[in-house]
Amino acid sequence: PVLRGALGRAAEAAGVRPHWILALRDTPLARAVSDDDRLPDWAGRGVATPDHVIRTKARPLVLPPLPPGGDGPALAAWGRSLEQALEAYGADYRAYFQRQNAAAGGAKKALDPLPRVAAIPGLGLVGIGKSAAEAATVADIAEAWAQTLLAAEAIGRFAPVNEADTFAMEYWSLEQAKLGKAAEKPLARQVVLVTGAAGAIGAATARAFAVAGAEVAVLDLEQEAAEAVAAACGKRALAVACDVTDPAAVQAAIAAVAAHFGGLDIVVSNAGAAWTGPMATLADADLRASFELNFFAHQSVAQAALAVFRAQGLGGQLLFNVSKQALNPGPNFGAYGISKAALLALVRQYALEEGEAGVRVNAINADRIRSGLLDDTMIKERSAARGLSEELYMAGNLLGAEVRASDVADAFVALARMERTTGAVLTVDGGNVAAMVR
């Protein structure tokens, strides 16, 4: 995340989009190059084949060794060295372009000066791309460079083509055409984490973010269930088994997401469940269990996500599923509604405290969605108790239309794209006067 944040700031300074996806290679091959004292010399030599330059640029960014421990003042100092290395890399790239463009007649337009490969002693080689697929491709090429370099050095000297030939290849229009120029989707380069992702709303939300171009990580209690949802979100989606009521498990899961994609941008804290019964006779254990999942788990997710947001310094988003029970409580749903009301207060508190850091915090207020909370049995019982058909019961709102999990998913995506909105509650219930926010 520290590297991703620094890249973002360098990108903004260069006038390009700040979010990038990272892919780490810490294999023995990658480490053999990244950890070698000869790395600075090797990095300046060039790429393994001229064709590689269009994806990796002419050389990797060589960073200082990763400090032991990975946090505290040593990491902060490493981050400052990283910023200086990026600035020097950009200056060197611009000078390279000016030199070679002048020699070639001055007709070329400069590409961005950002590296596409970072070599970090103590960690490995990092591919940098606009998507997880592109970052992985760059990382693969970086390993191919490492393999070629080591093989050449074992029998002689690694000596690629000269700078002029490298420039000619990098700026040859036919080579640039290989990268494609298709417009990016609205949430491209964004890393999104969804909790409770195997449920109806969570699965629909993960898919909706994937369709919008985001890189998606799905968290659920069961690994197999998470993997099924991830498979529906594309080849690069990540599945992580996580009990969100365990703060240590939450921290480990979010660390895994950051390690996989390089960081995190949007969290959809969706996991929840309902405990029912009148408050006067409700078991204390049930009320506490409801708060553990419907309030404290969201707090654990938010705290772990904010640690990544702060390391990146690129802002971020926290999106919560608060449910209509937070605003319009129903009989025998006190354990659920009270914990959700506390969650709504948490949403407002985070919006208040994190706006200065560019973190937006918003919530969805949804009702009557076919899901684990409102399953077929409950729908049948509730519709029969009201003397309605199941269809009429599910469409019991001002619009007279059943609200689907996909409608909630679309609302989460819409909130994610509302760049000047924080502290908002977006209602997705077809119209329920008693649950209207104001």
Side-chain angles (χ1 to χ4, degrees):
V2 174
L3 171 59
R4 188 168 185 252
L7 281 167
R9 289 183 287 280
E12 285 188 309
V16 296
R17 292 182 65 174
H19 292 86
W20 295 81
I21 307 300
L22 311 183
L24 171 66
R25 293 289 187 272
D26 57 359
T27 60
L29 172 62
R31 291 292 297 271
V33 170
S34 69
D35 297 0
D36 196 289
D37 292 339
R38 295 168 289 178
L39 173 62
D41 172 43
W42 288 343
R45 305 259 190 96
V47 292
T49 78
D51 188 61
H52 284 175
V53 73
I54 66 169
R55 291 189 181 273
T56 67
K57 294 203 181 296
R59 64 182 180 86
L61 169 70
V62 177
L63 295 176
L66 199 66
D71 55 14
L75 183 60
W78 184 83
R80 290 189 292 272
S81 297
L82 162 59
E83 301 271 2
Q84 294 168 1
L86 270 171
E87 184 176 351
Y89 187 98
D92 287 347
Y93 186 85
R94 286 186 286 269
Y96 149 77
F97 174 80
Q98 290 168 3
R99 267 192 319 272
Q100 295 303 325
N101 189 42
K108 300 296 184 180
K109 181 180 178 181
L111 301 170
D112 72 73
L114 302 175
R116 293 301 189 270
V117 177
I120 308 176
L123 188 62
L125 300 174
V126 179
I128 301 164
K130 299 173 184 177
S131 66
E134 184 177 291
T137 297
V138 172
D140 289 343
I141 293 174
E143 285 202 290
W145 167 75
Q147 186 174 29
T148 305
L149 165 68
L150 293 174
E153 288 289 302
I155 60 172
R157 187 176 188 274
F158 178 62
V161 297
N162 62 29
E163 182 181 282
D165 289 337
T166 297
F167 180 84
M169 182 62 71
E170 182 178 5
Y171 281 85
W172 187 20
S173 59
L174 293 180
E175 285 296 293
Q176 285 297 320
K178 292 180 180 180
L179 299 180
K181 302 298 180 182
E184 291 185 282
K185 291 184 177 181
L187 293 178
R189 309 181 187 218
Q190 299 285 308
V191 178
V192 179
L193 179 151
V194 181
T195 72
I201 292 174
T205 299
R207 291 193 298 269
F209 273 103
V211 169
E215 307 296 341
V216 178
V218 298
L219 269 63
D220 202 84
L221 190 60
E222 300 295 335
Q223 179 69 28
E224 188 173 340
E227 289 175 353
V229 176
C233 294
K235 295 180 179 179
R236 300 292 173 179
L238 176 67
V240 181
C242 178
D243 178 357
V244 292
T245 64
D246 180 351
V250 169
Q251 290 180 356
I254 290 183
V257 174
H260 187 78
F261 294 112
L264 180 63
D265 300 298
I266 301 170
V267 170
V268 181
S269 196
N270 166 72
W275 281 259
T276 60
M279 291 302 297
T281 57
L282 185 70
D284 184 66
D286 288 344
L287 182 59
R288 292 180 182 278
S290 182
F291 265 84
E292 286 294 335
L293 180 57
N294 297 315
F295 176 77
F296 286 108
H298 294 275
Q299 164 68 346
S300 295
V301 169
Q303 283 187 328
L306 281 163
V308 178
F309 293 168
R310 290 194 177 100
Q312 293 174 154
L314 298 174
Q317 294 189 59
L318 298 175
L319 302 175
F320 296 88
N321 186 346
V322 301
S323 163
K324 78 99 183 181
Q325 290 289 333
L327 298 162
N328 176 214
N332 299 324
F333 274 84
Y336 184 57
I338 295 169
S339 57
K340 285 291 190 176
L343 176 60
L344 179 55
L346 185 73
V347 171
R348 291 169 170 159
Q349 195 68 31
Y350 270 124
L352 173 67
E353 295 178 0
E354 298 300 328
E356 187 177 357
V359 176
R360 294 187 280 124
V361 187
N362 296 297
I364 294 292
N365 159 28
D367 187 28
R368 290 197 189 182
I369 314 297
R370 291 181 187 269
S371 65
L373 299 181
L374 185 61
D375 58 17
D376 291 341
T377 299
M378 185 176 289
I379 292 171
K380 184 176 182 179
E381 290 174 351
R382 286 189 168 188
S383 58
R386 290 164 174 75
L388 300 171
S389 67
E390 293 183 20
E391 291 74 17
L392 285 176
Y393 170 74
M394 293 302 293
N397 52 54
L398 296 179
L399 297 179
E402 179 176 344
V403 183
R404 304 155 299 186
S406 60
D407 297 317
V408 181
D410 290 343
F412 273 125
V413 172
L415 277 176
R417 297 185 63 188
M418 294 167 68
E419 296 182 357
R420 296 296 180 269
T421 299
T422 193
V425 178
L426 183 58
T427 300
V428 187
D429 62 4
N432 175 2
V433 174
M436 290 180 179
V437 180
R438 58 181 177 184

